[in-house]
């Protein structure tokens, strides 16, 4: 072993050697070890794979708990790592370890980076400029619409959309990126083989089919334990150059991500909301504390570091400058019936079909209302929500 202290800088990243990757996996699977303790221990070794060759006393000198040291010394850690490696290969996934050159540099900057990342899809995406879009699991129609719009417009300009694939705002962020036909990255709090929530299985398939990636710091088979999700939030912000908060209540887990972003020196953006809506508490408070207010993609774009904007504009072939935001494109004229229906709809609250028919009964027949709704929805002017509720599309 060398004499590097736990507080010394990490050694430069190198291409992954199989034994070294097994060692990182073994440490991650050993009982009682967290990210910081694993990283501190490896800094005291010549190579990560040295843990397989040293004595029990030397393992304990790495400040490993007795249970973990014995687990490694008995060969159980290596066996567990080899078994996990086989399952990873069978899933068509891969692992990135802290000492790999492909490990994302932005994640190395945080206080407790994950020693191992399980990745399904394209791991190179993790090095791209990304913005994390996060918020409540119970968004309003306004929150749903603005999230999909912002994610779509930013993804269309090659900024990677990153989120946690939870219900609500996270799901809307991924869908917005997919609408722009661009890859997106989901950070899970479960194993890569455990889709959570289950209703997002199709979304997970779409993310992979579109060239995106799913990432986790926990082994395959890990179920959705509550403690895993606040921990994964530091990865969501750590992989990003900025975090955008849409809707979140006062006690939302989104505040954890916002706090991580501040601690990691990431830019923080927020979409303002109606002060009477409890989901507006966190974004409005963040804006009061200095987060930048966001209404359109330009509010984020103009605030990006110049080198990031130049990189993205070069990749898009200058299209970012030439294009107008989707919400400003010229739209075909509406028929009178469609205009009447659209006039009574709002982006921030839904209207149920029975209420709509009641409001318009003196002007339109029910058949005319249904026809207008169909045409408006096909044109992307409105969206239908569960229960025959309708809102304006943003």
């Amino acid at each position: 072993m060398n004499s590097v202290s736990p507080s010394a800088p990490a050694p430069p990243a190198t291409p992954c050697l199989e034994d070294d990757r097994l060692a990182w996996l073994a440490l991650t699977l050993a009982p009682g070890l967290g990210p910081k303790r694993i990283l501190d221990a490896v800094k005291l070794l010549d190579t990560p794979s040295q843990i397989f060759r040293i004595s029990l006393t030397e393992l304990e000198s790495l400040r490993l708990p007795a249970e973990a040291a014995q687990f490694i010394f008995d060969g159980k850690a290596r066996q567990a790592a080899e078994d996990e490696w086989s399952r990873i290969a069978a899933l068509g996934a891969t692992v990135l370890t802290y000492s790999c050159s492909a490990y994302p540099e932005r994640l190395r900057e945080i206080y407790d980076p994950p020693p191992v990342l399980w990745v399904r899809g394209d791991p190179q995406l993790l090095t791209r400029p990304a913005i994390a879009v996060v918020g409540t699991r119970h968004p309003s129609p306004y929150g749903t619409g603005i999230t999909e719009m912002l994610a779509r417009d930013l993804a269309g300009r090659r900024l990677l959309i990153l989120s946690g694939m939870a219900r609500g705002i996270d799901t809307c962020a991924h869908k917005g990126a997919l609408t722009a036909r661009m890859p997106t990255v989901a950070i899970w709090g479960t194993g890569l083989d455990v889709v959570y929530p289950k209703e997002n299985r199709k979304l997970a398939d779409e993310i992979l089919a579109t060239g995106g990636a799913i990432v986790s710091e926990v082994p395959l088979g890990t179920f959705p334990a509550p403690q895993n999700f606040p921990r994964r939030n530091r990865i969501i912000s750590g992989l990003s150059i900025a975090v955008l908060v849409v809707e979140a209540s006062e006690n939302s887990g989104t505040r954890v991500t916002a706090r991580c972003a501040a601690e990691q020196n990431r830019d923080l953006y927020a979409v303002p909301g109606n002060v009477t809506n409890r989901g507006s508490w966190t974004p409005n408070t963040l804006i009061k504390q200095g987060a930048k207010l966001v209404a359109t993609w330009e509010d984020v774009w103009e605030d990006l570091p110049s080198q990031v904007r130049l990189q993205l504009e070069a990749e898009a072939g200058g299209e970012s400058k030439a294009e107008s935001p989707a919400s400003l494109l010229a739209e075909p004229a509406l028929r009178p019936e469609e205009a009447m229906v659209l006039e009574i709809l709002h982006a921030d609250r839904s209207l149920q079909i029975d209420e709509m028919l009641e409001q318009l009964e003196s002007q339109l027949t029910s058949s005319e209302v249904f026809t207008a709704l169909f045409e408006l929805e096909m044109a992307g002017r409105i969206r239908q929500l569960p229960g025959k509720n309708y809102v304006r599309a943003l």
Side-chain angles (χ1 to χ4, degrees), residues 236-264:
I236 291 177
S237 56
L239 283 168
S240 308
I241 59 175
V243 172
L244 171 61
V245 176
V246 181
E247 285 184 330
S249 64
E250 183 176 0
N251 299 313
S252 171
T254 301
R255 293 182 63 193
V256 176
T257 312
R259 186 171 66 248
C260 289
E263 292 171 352
Q264 295 164 359

Side-chain angles (χ1 to χ4, degrees), residues 79-100:
Q79 184 60 56
E82 290 174 349
D83 293 344
E84 181 73 6
W85 191 296
S86 298
R87 289 190 291 269
I88 290 167
L91 187 64
T94 188
V95 292
L96 294 179
T97 68
Y98 187 82
S99 59
C100 289

Side-chain angles (χ1 to χ4, degrees), residues 64-196:
L64 301 181
E67 184 183 11
Q70 191 70 52
F71 188 77
I72 296 168
F73 180 73
D74 290 343
K76 295 178 181 178
R78 179 164 192 140
Q79 184 60 56
E82 290 174 349
D83 293 344
E84 181 73 6
W85 191 296
S86 298
R87 289 190 291 269
I88 290 167
L91 187 64
T94 188
V95 292
L96 294 179
T97 68
Y98 187 82
S99 59
C100 289
S101 57
Y103 190 93
E105 287 301 322
R106 279 191 297 275
L107 208 52
R108 293 184 196 275
E109 299 169 359
I110 73 174
Y111 172 74
D112 53 349
V116 176
L117 290 174
W118 280 252
V119 182
R120 218 180 150 193
D122 184 2
Q124 293 185 351
L125 287 174
L126 305 186
T127 64
R128 289 193 54 75
I131 183 168
V133 182
V134 295
T136 179
R137 287 174 168 78
H138 307 285
S140 69
Y142 166 77
T144 298
I146 195 73
T147 301
E148 291 189 11
M149 181 189 75
L150 289 171
R152 177 198 66 210
D153 291 347
L154 290 169
R157 287 157 180 86
R158 305 304 191 271
L159 188 61
L160 182 70
I161 302 299
L162 193 151
S163 197
M165 216 185 84
R167 295 182 182 95
I169 295 300
D170 288 21
T171 293
C172 295
H174 294 304
K175 287 183 176 178
L178 294 174
T179 300
R181 296 185 177 88
M182 296 300 290
T184 177
V185 172
I187 312 299
W188 287 6
T190 61
L192 293 184
D193 55 342
V194 181
V195 180
Y196 181 80

Side-chain angles (χ1 to χ4, degrees), residues 53 157 163 166 168 233 276-277 289 371 389:
R53 303 187 297 270
R157 287 157 180 86
S163 197
N233 289 350
T276 64
N277 182 346
Q289 294 172 347
T371 301
N389 288 282

